[in-house]
Amino acid sequence: MAATRSAKAGAVAYDGCVTQMLSAPDETDSASAVLRAMVSIADSTVGHLIDDLTLTQFRALRIITEHTPITMSRVADQLALNPSSVTRACERLTTLDLVQRARNPLNKREILLAPTGKGRQIVARVEHERRAVLAAVLQRLEPAVRAQAAVVFGQFAAAAATVPTSLSPGTTPLIA
């Protein structure tokens, strides 16, 4: 396909059928590239270690492990997902013997979730693998850049914790 520049700044036409805006890279482009790399690491470490889990199911397992015992609605809040999605994810985790469910003795309408030993082991293995991959990536940076990256990552995580998951009113922060 031949690309031709149009009169509009940055517009490119591919044989007249696709128009794409090209612009100079900015901070969000760099952040998006880092995000794609991080998601790739997150996804590959889950997929590499546990073929049966999706990234969402693993995220639910991690939250259950970190905040045990926890209610299904609290997991949904932490993941910023609707309760039915979390229910399906937790049913799968229960089927795989990674999570156990029990009625809350203080509120019979609530279900409490807690990880099994196997569930805790999986979270620990994935965390170990992720840290190893991140360490290998960071090791490729010059020491001064690596130190700067650590500071920037910390500041970015703190800022992300204050931003809603969506620009809609009433949404939860990205990082809980």
Side-chain angles (χ1 to χ4, degrees):
M1 289 189 170
T4 57
R5 289 242 177 238
S6 90
K8 293 182 181 178
V12 178
Y14 293 92
D15 291 338
C17 62
V18 176
T19 300
Q20 179 181 30
M21 297 303 292
L22 301 176
S23 60
D26 64 9
E27 294 91 0
T28 57
D29 292 329
S30 296
S32 290
V34 170
L35 177 63
R36 284 190 300 277
M38 294 290 194
V39 168
S40 177
I41 290 168
D43 198 27
S44 67
T45 52
V46 170
H48 169 71
L49 294 173
I50 315 110
D51 292 330
D52 297 335
L53 290 184
T54 66
L55 191 53
T56 297
Q57 290 165 346
F58 177 77
R59 289 176 60 218
L61 177 60
R62 184 180 46 80
I63 287 170
I64 293 165
T65 300
E66 292 173 356
H67 302 283
T68 194
I70 188 170
T71 63
M72 194 87 67
S73 62
R74 180 115 186 267
V75 174
D77 289 344
Q78 293 278 320
L79 291 174
L81 294 174
N82 65 48
S84 64
S85 295
V86 172
T87 298
R88 285 191 303 276
C90 290
E91 285 172 357
R92 179 73 178 138
L93 295 172
T94 302
T95 300
L96 294 172
D97 192 35
L98 302 176
V99 167
Q100 48 193 336
R101 301 163 51 127
R103 289 235 178 258
N104 184 344
L106 303 176
N107 181 347
K108 300 291 183 192
R109 293 180 300 165
E110 286 184 334
I111 300 293
L112 293 176
L113 303 166
T116 63
K118 182 179 173 184
R120 285 185 187 280
Q121 288 175 343
I122 285 174
V123 170
R125 281 183 21 222
V126 169
E127 182 65 22
H128 176 77
E129 177 86 6
R130 285 178 176 172
R131 291 179 69 82
V133 171
L134 289 171
V137 171
L138 290 169
Q139 202 57 36
R140 292 175 183 241
L141 300 174
E142 293 294 324
V145 173
R146 188 169 46 246
Q148 288 174 336
V151 170
V152 170
F153 289 156
Q155 291 173 351
F156 187 89
T162 66
V163 176
T165 55
S166 145
L167 297 180
S168 303
T171 56
T172 58
L174 288 169
I175 301 170

